[in-house]
Amino acid sequence: MYIVKQKINGGDYFYIRRAVRDGKKVMSKFVCYGGKTREDAERKLRELNEPEEGKKIETKLTIEELANFCKKKGFVYQSGEIYGGFAGFWDFGHLGVEMKNNLKDDWWNFHVRKRSDVVGIDGSIISHPKIWEASGHLESFSDIFVICKKCKKPNKIDKNELGKVKCENCGGNYDEKSAKEFKLMFEIIIGENTKSYLRPETAQMIFTNFKFVQDNARLKLPFGIAQIGKSFRNEIAPRDFLFRCREFEQMEIEYFVNPNGICPYEIGESEILVYSAEMQEKDKEPEKMKFKDAFDRKIISTKWHAYWLEQEFLWFVQLGANPDKFRIRQHISEEKSHYALDTWDLDYEFPFGWKELQGMANRTDFDLKQHQEFSKTNLEIIDNEKKILPHVVCEPSQGVERAFLVFLCDAYCFDEKRNNVVLKLHPKLSPVKAAVFPIVKKPEYEKICEDIVKDLSEDYNVVFDKSGSIGRRYARNDEIGTPLCITVDEKTPEDDSVTVRDRDSTKQVRVKIKHLRKVVGKVVRGERLMKLGKKVETRKKEN
């Protein structure tokens, strides 16, 4: 059981919830009302759990608390909030846009620039309406709109879930009589009367440009085409902060292979929770195993699928995400798309439960075949001296905003010794790489700080901060995830060195000014600061 906080009419209300299995799904269930303060809720939770004397009650970060933190610090604001807000749309502030761009840059480096078999495109947001007819979106891209009989909260469910699932908010039954199909694409008018749509996904731009890209980039199978861009879905009930939005960005790859070819890449030794369709159908718990073993045991049917599932997991982990909060879950037959041979999700344990972070379907040749038929254009290519229509063996596809949430959830930490939040982001993702301080407000110190900022800003986002005590400046930067704080002190004019403080440990080293750019670069790439300078004694109290 755990505590969640909700804002109702401007007030805070706390509830006790627990994770339970409902059929084939693990859902968050309401237990009881906890009170109007966290202390009341913790007391109620203590009574329910009856913990041992002196045992600390752990409470989870709620998505509402995270949203408030992001607003307060300048990461994310609700779009149009001065007019009451606009559900499902979010604006990224001065820190949020830096972190979001860092995230996308690292994804692009990992998936495109560091690979010889993947290239990128940037497709149009508005495209020919025939594309969506060929893809099947016009006919089938919809959800079922339902209203809970008990709490009256609207929600969306998949068609196959009607009559099988209960309200996520209160556990009540949905009113099946009022259920109706709801189209998810935004219609727009081009010119005077041509109807088109805002794209609901980025994948179709890859398929329609497939032949051009393959020819221009001189690609040979197997290869992938990547894209990062905006998508739009007219969600019935956008919720959980950035998790379900109406406007969002996707980072996606369509990976094309000869269906008779082999995967030349090896699957590694990393482990993850595996939740196969069979485990779900037999009501078994997920099992932790190596990706390699999941393939060898034929739980994951193709080597390509196992390889890409592991690669996507490793991308998150190498950026500091907690590996124990991830699992891979196979779609059961009722939820699998009509075009998919097999589909696995990379799930993450968000504050509101296990949810899909990334979907990876084996789409076979469905999309290229559809566009070939509707456009009357031959999309076959030559491989091994034969004309073939390649298969998409896997499509690693995820939302930028959901990945953004993952890294925030894992980085957010309240440090009791410091009595403030420390955002332990990987330095690659940190919106500000270093903050430069004068120990005291003296013109000669400030001039040195300005010169350091000017030099470091050639490569990194660096700030100059002279407001408040040195301790307060440290705390401000800890809260926004700045990995390094550089202090110009009384020794600096004498030896041209500065004190550099590590965010996570608060330990400090002495570094020559001329070496600062190199030191910052090494820390951003993941090296430990304490190996890059001479250790100095930290003041007992930062003030």
Side-chain angles (χ1 to χ4, degrees), residues 283-297:
D283 202 25
K284 293 182 178 180
E285 293 292 326
E287 182 181 343
K288 194 163 191 176
M289 67 180 77
K290 295 177 182 179
F291 285 90
K292 181 180 179 180
D293 293 341
F295 169 66
D296 289 341
R297 292 167 55 180

Side-chain angles (χ1 to χ4, degrees), residues 124-135:
S124 174
I125 287 173
I126 302 170
S127 51
H128 200 293
K130 276 282 186 182
I131 289 175
W132 308 110
E133 183 181 348
S135 68

